[in-house]
Amino acid sequence: MRNWMIAKNGIECPSCRFRFDLWKGGCLHFKCTQCHYNFCGGCKQPFYQGSECAFSDDCGGKGLHAHHTRDCFYYLRDWDVERLQQLLQHNGIEYKSDISEELSGPFEGLFKVQSTTFKMHVVEKTERKEEENTFNEMEDKEFLVRIINANLLDPADLYTDKEMEAELQRWNVTIPEISVEERREAFLQNLQMKIKQEIPLFVNPD
């Protein structure tokens, strides 16, 4: 599974296109060994040092940082596997768990379709050490996030009200107040629409 993850999901520098055959499970901050560009291995957003970032006055006190998009592995790795699967189901992306076959030829076109089937790496967790469980769970998450990103799925579809407020605050978008006559369900739908309209999945903080 891990060899497949590296071969298919290696990280490419958005500046010079040099490719790193690395797994995204660790730190997402990369500095290209060829052009020395600092970027996120998940969403390709640039890293800036403090006040060099033009996005906000608050950036001056942040040190080296990036403004990750909400569909970046930086955020989605904190979701559990079940929630990532739910996002795929919500958008009509079919899947199934299957340990009887290897990940091979049929997966060549996996990331170019809107409805597909993929196989999750499933093992008996009771037979593993705790660190092995964590490692394989992160592999599964990265695999799922790769499908989510390839199909341009928006995590905001499953956001709670607190998550929607946090996303708006993160990008300095004013959070509207709920009116007296507005039902909460309608208000949350408007929040979600505001996020999708004003904060696209591919955001340039400059």
Side-chain angles (χ1 to χ4, degrees):
M1 175 71 170
R2 187 166 190 265
N3 290 336
W4 184 90
M5 293 291 297
I6 292 175
K8 294 295 182 183
N9 303 340
I11 298 167
E12 184 179 83
C13 173
S15 179
C16 70
R17 304 303 178 189
F18 184 79
R19 186 173 181 80
F20 300 86
D21 290 329
L22 297 170
W23 179 52
K24 294 189 182 73
C27 178
L28 290 174
H29 171 217
F30 286 89
K31 183 175 183 179
C32 180
T33 58
Q34 304 300 303
C35 69
H36 307 294
Y37 185 71
N38 287 281
F39 67 97
C40 172
C43 60
K44 303 298 191 295
Q45 289 293 294
F47 270 78
Y48 293 105
Q49 183 67 48
S51 58
E52 294 177 3
C53 180
F55 177 67
S56 167
D57 292 338
D58 295 334
C59 293
K62 290 184 177 179
L64 189 64
H65 68 286
H67 296 274
H68 307 275
T69 55
R70 62 181 171 276
D71 62 340
C72 179
F73 190 62
Y74 177 83
Y75 292 120
L76 293 183
R77 63 185 172 183
D78 292 333
W79 287 25
D80 58 33
V81 170
E82 290 73 20
R83 196 182 188 197
L84 293 172
Q85 291 173 331
Q86 184 181 355
L87 181 59
L88 290 167
Q89 291 175 320
H90 177 81
N91 287 275
I93 308 299
E94 299 178 359
Y95 70 92
K96 66 179 180 180
S97 296
D98 190 343
I99 60 174
S100 63
E101 299 178 24
E102 295 293 330
L103 294 167
S104 57
F107 290 85
E108 289 295 323
L110 180 64
F111 305 128
K112 299 180 181 178
V113 295
Q114 285 293 323
S115 180
T116 187
T117 299
F118 67 84
K119 300 175 177 62
M120 286 293 297
H121 181 61
V122 179
V123 293
E124 287 295 330
K125 291 187 176 181
T126 55
E127 298 179 358
R128 290 221 196 102
K129 297 178 182 178
E130 182 178 350
E131 59 269 23
E132 290 175 324
N133 291 338
T134 302
F135 177 81
N136 283 280
E137 182 181 22
M138 193 62 69
E139 278 189 318
D140 288 346
K141 288 182 179 182
E142 183 176 337
F143 187 43
L144 289 167
V145 172
R146 189 70 175 180
I147 308 296
I148 288 168
N149 292 162
N151 286 283
L152 304 180
L153 306 187
D154 196 328
D157 289 340
L158 299 187
Y159 272 2
T160 64
D161 53 348
K162 295 299 183 183
E163 287 172 322
M164 285 191 281
E165 290 177 4
E167 176 68 1
L168 291 169
Q169 291 174 340
R170 187 179 295 125
W171 294 97
N172 294 333
V173 178
T174 302
I175 301 175
E177 294 184 3
I178 186 170
S179 61
V180 176
E181 67 278 1
E182 189 176 17
R183 293 184 178 179
R184 182 158 185 80
E185 182 178 350
F187 172 71
L188 294 178
Q189 290 177 346
N190 289 336
L191 275 187
Q192 187 182 83
M193 184 176 299
K194 188 177 183 67
I195 288 173
K196 292 187 175 185
Q197 290 178 345
E198 299 190 28
I199 313 172
L201 290 177
F202 298 98
V203 180
N204 187 344
D206 291 334

